[in-house]
Amino acid sequence: MTAYPHLLRPLELGHTTLRNRVLMGSMHTGLEETRDWNRVAEFYAARARGGVGLMVTGGMAPNKEGGVFPGAAGLFTPEDIANHRIVTDRVHAAEGKIAMQILHAGRYAYSPDCVGPSAVKSPISPFPPKELDEEGIEKQIADIATAAARAREAGYDGVEVMGSEGYFLNQFLVTHTNRREDRWGGSYENRMRLPVEVVRRVREAVGPDFIVIYRLSMIDLIPNGSSWEEVVQLAHAIEDAGASILNTGIGWHEARIPTIATSVPRKAFAWVTQKLMGEVSIPVITSNRINTPEVAEEVLAEGCADMVSMARPFLADADFVAKAAAGRSETIAPCIACNQACLDHTFSGKLSSCLVNPRACHETELTYAPAETPRKIAIVGAGPAGLSTALVAAERGHAVTLFDRADRIGGQLNMARMVPGKEEFHGLVDWYETMVAERGIELRLGTEVTPDTVAGYDAVVVATGVLPRDPAIPGQDAENVLSYIDVLRGGAEVGPRVAIVGAGGIGFDVAEYLAHQGESPTEDPELWQREWGVADPAEIRGGLAPEGPQPEASARQITLLQRKSEKLGKRLGKTTGWIHRASLQMKGVQMIGGVNYEAVTEEGLQISRGEARNDPETLAVDTVVLCAGQVPDRSLADALSDAGMPVHVIGGADVAAELDAKRAIDQGARLAATL
Ligand code: NAP
Ligand code: SF4
């Protein structure tokens, strides 16, 4: 008897059956743009072997003007069709099913050729769209239908028509972007004409025995978004036009409410999909912040949807479904929703991967082959770099001993998990604990390692991490000064008025930690909705609360400081930095750049501005917290080198600048693949 009866139940679609209720949602990984079709095929085939019910590819452009950026991939030539055939054949050989997403970006296209219902520029693209005329609209419909027919020719099992997240079809639905007065604008019947016509023509082009998913924006999270009656009306019309499945879209890309970041509660928007249940007779899929089989099962058992879409969890672990089906869900590498190696890469024009699983999108290049000669390997430091090395080395058959002077594994992950909004880090540390045991790694915690401890091993890996950088501020040894370690690890007493020195990832984390009191909104969906101003779309168009965000008051008066004069938080994650900034601003955290730290006094922190350092002022605070970056802890590496022992130095002990768990884990895995 499985623990996931709803999740693992097949889904009958008439002409075909899906083996379970799990959809791997569309992700733009950048793989197609590499034009290495073997690599693309292996990415999807690995997930098909892992048991997922149906996969959706990254968005394929139906034409030049609809591409997300110039040169975006699509099925334009016979050669493209043949290349996609490589992918679909490999997926089918692995007994999987795959649908191709057709994504027309409309005014979101990063291109001077972009088009839209009206010439209303989007806040996230510098290019104003050209308003389409009747002929132009017909061309878009024809191109989308042709893309669907070509997808069928390329061997896909279906297509997903992207109608949400504020893309082209979504742009016709709301008056905010559709100012037309012809038959494609004005009344809702007119505004929804395009998406409905697209689905009708797609169905006509592909025939009855082909999956057509329509991704429908169920809560726009923008002013003047769709009303709930309109959402239901559209859902009916899309069903009548021939869609086989409705997938959920949450929020436009320009919305100022986080929808998938790690601080969003798990299954935060399943209630929105649930409102549509019973309204249509085709299956409905829910989505967003569902990352474990337990949560997915819960969502289905609660009747929120017929099927669950998860995207990033399949980067973290290709075998998600197979492991769940085998009753081994604790061995699933968890997606912590950090976006650091997936969406942040996509939006920087880089190939996606996964912080937790560096093999994601690198399946053909980073392989963990069994070691020819198993060796005895000592790894010092059980933070992300050391853990990653240990797991891969053990997987390859080496005998691994993992040392740490702390009494638990996790290193800096143990600080991250203390921060409200970063609760997913608990699951990551738990997973490492499970896998250390699973792979038979000898764990020696509470051990201060010296060259003698590791004498006798065939290879030694030093992953001893970092030490806090000393900002050398006069007076910093006083009792009112703490390090981020005292705060996040030790729970040190912090006064009601705080100055934070340094506004990198850790400065922001400390500010978030100190601003909160009581339960983290990430653990309390109603509180989270209130904080960000999310309302029921049945009560207010687009689901934006009229009163706006209503955050809880900050637990402290906080000032966050840096020496650089640039905007604070500028270097945080590309897709998440704005959330950290907005969250602290909502809490009234003051952010000051361009300062010099003159001294810590009994009154507080004395700062000055600019090169002239004139007119120093004192910030009256009770506590100063130092978050001035980190330097490598190389003491053991140096001692081993002095003793003439060869070592591999990785993670923060190697390079501390711009260190994060992504680099540490990747470096560890790549080293272990070669040991
Ligand atoms: P960091 O991001 O490098 O930030 C260090 C901060 O200290 C900067 O604000 C810097 O700003 C300041 N600073 C540097 N030298 C200083 C000095 N001598 N005196 C005073 N201030 C100084 O380092 P971190 O905050 O320690 O974070 C470590 C790593 O963990 C980072 O790479 C970070 O990305 C990662 N991390 C990421 C997240 C995340 O949310 N993704 C969260 C936590 C940590 P000025 O030089 O302008 O003063
Ligand atoms: Fe999930 Fe982070 Fe991996 Fe992206 S990089 S798939 S968000 S764990």
Side-chain angles (χ1 to χ4, degrees), residues 261-307:
T262 193
S263 57
V264 176
R266 286 177 171 183
K267 62 171 179 144
F269 292 97
W271 62 274
V272 181
T273 312
Q274 188 169 25
K275 294 168 78 70
L276 200 63
M277 291 294 280
E279 296 279 1
V280 287
S281 53
I282 52 176
V284 177
I285 304 177
T286 193
S287 155
N288 288 52
R289 285 294 282 119
I290 298 168
N291 65 341
T292 68
E294 289 74 20
V295 176
E297 175 67 19
E298 220 172 272
V299 161
L300 294 180
E302 285 166 357
C304 297
D306 301 294
M307 193 171 180

Side-chain angles (χ1 to χ4, degrees), residues 13 15-16 23 54 56 98-100 102 144-145 148-149 151-152 156-162 195-196 198-215 238-239 241-247 282-283 285:
L13 291 177
H15 76 279
T16 189
L23 179 90
L54 175 64
V56 180
I98 183 163
M100 185 186 92
I102 304 171
I144 294 173
R152 181 167 186 144
Y156 284 103
D157 301 280
V159 288
E160 177 173 80
V161 176
M162 182 46 159
V196 176
V198 161
V199 172
R200 197 184 65 73
R201 294 271 291 274
V202 163
R203 174 55 78 199
E204 207 174 83
V206 296
D209 54 344
F210 197 67
I211 300 169
V212 176
I213 308 168
Y214 184 83
R215 182 122 167 242
I238 294 288
E239 177 180 10
S244 342
I245 301 177
L246 284 178
N247 194 0
I282 52 176
I285 304 177

Side-chain angles (χ1 to χ4, degrees), residues 340 422 469-471 473 484 501-507 509 561-564 571-573 576 580 597 627-630 656-660:
Q340 280 175 254
K422 292 202 165 177
R469 177 186 284 125
D470 176 4
I473 304 172
Y484 62 88
V501 169
I506 292 183
D509 274 0
L561 301 136
Q562 72 179 19
R563 297 172 306 171
K564 289 186 284 292
R571 294 156 203 246
L572 296 175
T576 53
H580 296 300
Y597 306 109
C627 307
Q630 318 187 77
E658 297 187 7
L659 169 75
D660 57 18

Side-chain angles (χ1 to χ4, degrees), residues 486-546:
D486 305 324
V487 176
L488 294 177
R489 280 239 172 95
E493 194 78 11
V494 179
R497 299 167 307 166
V498 188
I500 299 174
V501 169
I506 292 183
F508 267 78
D509 274 0
V510 166
E512 193 74 47
Y513 177 82
L514 293 175
H516 279 274
Q517 51 193 336
E519 185 157 33
S520 162
T522 304
E523 307 275 66
D524 179 347
E526 275 177 30
L527 179 61
W528 181 86
Q529 278 182 33
R530 209 164 48 244
E531 282 231 359
W532 287 95
V534 177
D536 187 339
E539 279 160 27
I540 178 99
R541 276 186 175 275
L544 278 191

Side-chain angles (χ1 to χ4, degrees), residues 27-244:
M27 286 178 280
H28 188 84
T29 58
L31 273 172
E32 285 86 359
E33 279 82 19
T34 66
R35 306 201 64 79
D36 179 345
W37 295 96
N38 177 47
R39 187 172 184 169
V40 184
E42 194 43 39
F43 171 77
Y44 287 111
R47 274 89 197 150
R49 286 194 293 273
V52 62
L54 175 64
M55 297 180 283
V56 180
T57 66
M60 294 292 138
N63 53 26
K64 187 165 145 267
E65 59 271 32
V68 176
F69 50 84
L75 296 188
F76 304 126
T77 63
E79 193 194 342
D80 290 334
I81 295 173
N83 288 333
H84 281 253
R85 219 347 133 183
I86 300 171
V87 179
T88 56
D89 282 349
R90 194 85 61 88
V91 167
H92 293 147
E95 294 180 9
K97 284 193 165 54
I98 183 163
M100 185 186 92
Q101 189 188 68
I102 304 171
L103 169 62
H104 190 309
R107 78 202 255 274
Y108 278 170
Y110 196 84
S111 154
D113 297 325
C114 67
V115 295
S118 305
V120 182
K121 198 182 95 56
S122 106
I124 60 172
S125 165
F127 303 102
K130 184 174 141 259
E131 178 173 322
L132 287 163
D133 58 15
E134 182 78 25
E135 205 181 320
I137 290 178
E138 169 52 32
K139 177 182 183 300
Q140 307 311 311
I141 300 171
D143 288 348
I144 294 173
T146 302
R150 288 180 182 160
R152 181 167 186 144
E153 213 182 317
Y156 284 103
D157 301 280
V159 288
E160 177 173 80
V161 176
M162 182 46 159
S164 63
E165 260 71 10
Y167 286 116
F168 183 58
L169 301 181
N170 215 173
Q171 290 158 22
F172 271 77
L173 289 171
V174 305
T175 52
H176 172 62
T177 41
N178 183 346
R179 313 271 167 89
R180 305 179 72 94
E181 289 174 356
D182 59 3
R183 67 193 189 103
W184 305 99
S187 68
Y188 191 65
E189 276 73 18
N190 281 353
R191 299 201 308 272
M192 75 174 195
R193 190 182 305 281
L194 178 72
V196 176
E197 187 59 12
V198 161
V199 172
R200 197 184 65 73
R201 294 271 291 274
V202 163
R203 174 55 78 199
E204 207 174 83
V206 296
D209 54 344
F210 197 67
I211 300 169
V212 176
I213 308 168
Y214 184 83
R215 182 122 167 242
L216 194 154
S217 182
M218 295 194 195
I219 181 168
D220 290 334
L221 299 175
I222 56 157
N224 285 322
S226 291
S227 70
W228 186 250
E229 293 82 59
E230 289 168 352
V231 167
V232 174
Q233 193 181 336
L234 178 64
H236 282 300
I238 294 288
E239 177 180 10
D240 293 346
S244 342

